[in-house]
Amino acid sequence: MAESAAASAAAEPDWLTERRRDGAALAAELGLPSQKTKGWEFTDLSELVELDFEVPTEADPAVRENADAVLNIPDQGLRVVQIDQTMLDGSAPAAGGGKPGEPVVTTLASAAELYPDLVRERLGSLVPSDDPFVARNDAAWRGGAFVYVPAGQRLEAPVQIEAIHDADRAALGFRTLIVLEEGAEAEVWEQWLATDHERSGLFNTVTEVWVGQGANLRYVTAQGLGEQSWIFATQRAEVERDASLDWVALGFGSSRGKVRMETRLAGAGSSARVTGAYAGNGSQHLDFDTTQEHAAPNTTSDLAFRGVLEESATAVWRGMIRVDPGAQQTDAYQESRNLLLSKSAHADAIPGLEIEANDVRCTHAAAVAQIDAEQLHYLRSHGLPDEQAKRLIIEGFLEALVERLDEGPVKAAVSVALERRLGEILGERQIQPA
């Protein structure tokens, strides 16, 4: 692995500066989506005034330890941390111009200088160029993270990426680029955090993930931003022939916004498993938009989301399985299940199918419910106090999601994170009877 090095302070490449100008011009032209815009029907942006948020110019490295992590990683591995707009650490080998011959974990700004051809080729190639939030990110990201694993190599330790919101009313643009070449292996944990959950902010992130032929990636994302903040996340992964992606996502923080997670199975024999959980309280609004695109034959995808909502929290999950022409023998599944802990909480679960091949198996399931009265009665009849009985039902609901994960650090960390978040929710007020 490369020796540690500070992010370069030199001016960024001309092509990147031009890309920023184009992004800023496009963002101004596109404006913001309204509830009449397809995909934005459930999330109202009328209260978002972008001028209220400013890009920070300084950050105090000491605040790094003050952000409460959603996921605790047993082995810290390689670490890239960004507090507001200042990158604190990373690693990169000496500049070579072309593709590096060993694994690289560094800042995206540093990678753009060290490996301009590689970054220029990959950056922006997976996400839509005409999207208003992608355009804003193109114009405003600073730092970001870059993970590269050459063909046939593997990262021995997990990569930890943290973007930490520290200043009140700050606009933070973050960008992540992950590239695994043929036969490579890696595990990447990415967290978006806040040092003060009472502060407001605007967080806009774009993630592009390339999983090369026969490569294997486990990618874990967790969102614990302040509950007065906006979040806009655009994440897209492309999985090549015989490659696999195991993607885990947790969403606990923010006031409102949208997280888009798209997986494209581009090569025959590729597979993806996506597991998501969210938990909201107060007046939080959580919006997840997922896509499983099967672009090649003999591909498999399996997506499951579960949400717990308390008080007046709301959530929407909209999922799409898209099977392209010629993608025969596709096997795809998606489900979304929501548990409402109060009568004022609300969830929408909207699965969808677009199938243009005739030899496929595509299924979906969606459910929104309160705590089951019969289950509650059964546990009470066996001597359990009311609140303990309710807690067991909720834990069982979430445990079904945890069981999808392989034994190991990820499963343990997700289980602890869900238990902690559930305690936060239940500790604020009593659950209303079903």
Side-chain angles (χ1 to χ4, degrees):
M1 182 55 56
E3 297 294 325
S4 294
S8 174
E12 64 185 16
D14 291 342
W15 65 265
L16 189 51
T17 301
E18 182 179 354
R19 183 185 179 89
R20 292 193 188 283
R21 292 196 197 100
D22 292 343
L26 183 59
E29 177 185 341
L30 293 174
L32 291 172
S34 71
Q35 287 185 280
K36 294 182 179 180
T37 305
K38 184 178 180 181
W40 291 88
E41 296 88 348
F42 293 88
T43 298
D44 183 6
L45 304 185
S46 61
E47 295 182 7
L48 174 59
V49 180
E50 294 178 280
L51 293 178
D52 288 347
F53 302 93
E54 296 182 357
V55 176
T57 57
E58 297 180 358
D60 180 1
V63 304
R64 178 194 304 181
E65 305 303 329
N66 295 336
D68 293 328
V70 175
L71 294 167
N72 294 316
I73 306 173
D75 183 351
Q76 293 294 313
L78 303 161
R79 198 175 192 207
V80 178
V81 178
Q82 175 172 313
I83 297 177
D84 290 333
Q85 298 296 338
T86 301
M87 186 64 64
L88 299 179
D89 58 22
S91 61
K99 291 185 177 181
E102 60 179 312
V104 172
V105 178
T106 188
T107 70
L108 186 54
S110 179
E113 289 184 54
L114 296 169
Y115 310 108
D117 294 342
L118 174 59
V119 175
R120 188 174 186 177
E121 174 190 2
R122 299 292 190 178
L123 193 67
S125 56
L126 289 184
V127 293
S129 59
D130 59 349
D131 180 273
F133 289 101
V134 173
R136 283 163 170 75
N137 186 276
D138 280 338
W141 70 265
R142 295 293 186 275
F146 176 76
V147 179
Y148 177 83
V149 186
Q153 299 189 38
R154 67 188 300 266
L155 287 173
E156 298 297 332
V159 175
Q160 181 181 4
I161 300 168
E162 293 180 3
I164 302 177
H165 227 152
D166 180 52
D168 191 37
R169 308 204 69 78
L172 174 57
F174 197 70
R175 190 89 177 216
T176 300
L177 179 61
I178 301 172
V179 180
L180 272 62
E181 301 286 8
E182 181 176 352
E185 294 184 27
E187 184 171 303
V188 179
W189 301 52
E190 182 171 2
Q191 301 191 74
W192 313 323
L193 309 173
T195 55
D196 186 339
H197 288 271
E198 298 302 317
R199 290 173 177 163
S200 63
L202 173 60
F203 185 81
N204 181 12
T205 182
V206 172
T207 303
E208 294 173 279
V209 177
W210 292 82
V211 188
Q213 182 174 330
N216 296 284
L217 174 65
R218 174 175 286 171
Y219 179 50
V220 185
T221 59
Q223 187 267 106
L225 296 171
E227 293 182 7
Q228 303 298 319
S229 294
W230 294 83
I231 181 171
F232 300 99
T234 304
Q235 301 174 281
R236 186 171 173 86
E238 181 136 333
V239 188
E240 301 296 341
R241 184 182 185 92
D242 296 325
S244 66
L245 170 66
D246 188 0
W247 189 349
V248 181
L250 301 181
F252 296 160
S254 77
S255 172
R256 60 187 58 226
K258 179 185 278 288
V259 175
R260 291 171 290 183
M261 301 170 57
E262 301 185 5
T263 305
R264 185 173 187 266
L265 299 163
S270 59
S271 63
R273 178 175 61 178
V274 182
T275 305
Y278 50 86
N281 63 348
S283 59
Q284 282 183 274
H285 175 72
L286 306 172
D287 186 341
F288 288 87
D289 203 323
T290 68
T291 301
Q292 301 149 259
E293 181 183 358
H294 292 255
N298 299 293
T299 52
T300 303
S301 69
D302 178 4
L303 180 146
F305 264 66
R306 293 204 172 198
V308 175
L309 302 173
E310 189 261 12
E311 292 188 322
S312 299
T314 59
V316 57
W317 168 83
R318 188 198 316 256
M320 177 61 67
I321 294 174
R322 181 174 297 119
V323 181
D324 296 343
Q328 304 294 358
Q329 297 185 321
T330 283
D331 187 347
Y333 176 74
Q334 64 176 356
E335 73 165 25
S336 172
R337 302 187 185 276
N338 294 269
L339 189 61
L340 308 182
L341 307 186
S342 76
K343 293 180 180 178
S344 56
H346 179 82
D348 292 286
I350 310 168
L353 301 173
E354 292 182 2
I355 301 175
E356 298 185 78
N358 56 19
D359 182 11
V360 302
R361 181 172 64 177
C362 298
T363 55
H364 58 74
V368 178
Q370 293 188 330
I371 292 177
D372 188 276
E374 292 186 5
Q375 290 181 348
L376 193 58
H377 175 73
Y378 175 83
L379 292 173
R380 285 169 173 166
S381 68
H382 283 71
L384 288 179
D386 185 69
E387 291 306 313
Q388 186 177 352
K390 291 174 181 176
R391 173 85 184 217
L392 284 176
I393 293 172
I394 301 167
E395 289 178 346
F397 173 78
L398 294 173
E399 185 63 24
L401 196 72
V402 175
E403 288 303 314
R404 287 171 50 88
L405 308 178
D406 296 333
E407 292 294 336
V410 173
K411 183 174 183 177
V414 169
S415 181
V416 170
L418 289 172
E419 183 178 357
R420 183 168 59 239
R421 178 58 175 165
L422 183 58
E424 292 173 358
I425 290 178
L426 298 184
E428 293 185 0
R429 65 190 287 270
Q430 299 292 315
I431 309 173
Q432 294 183 11

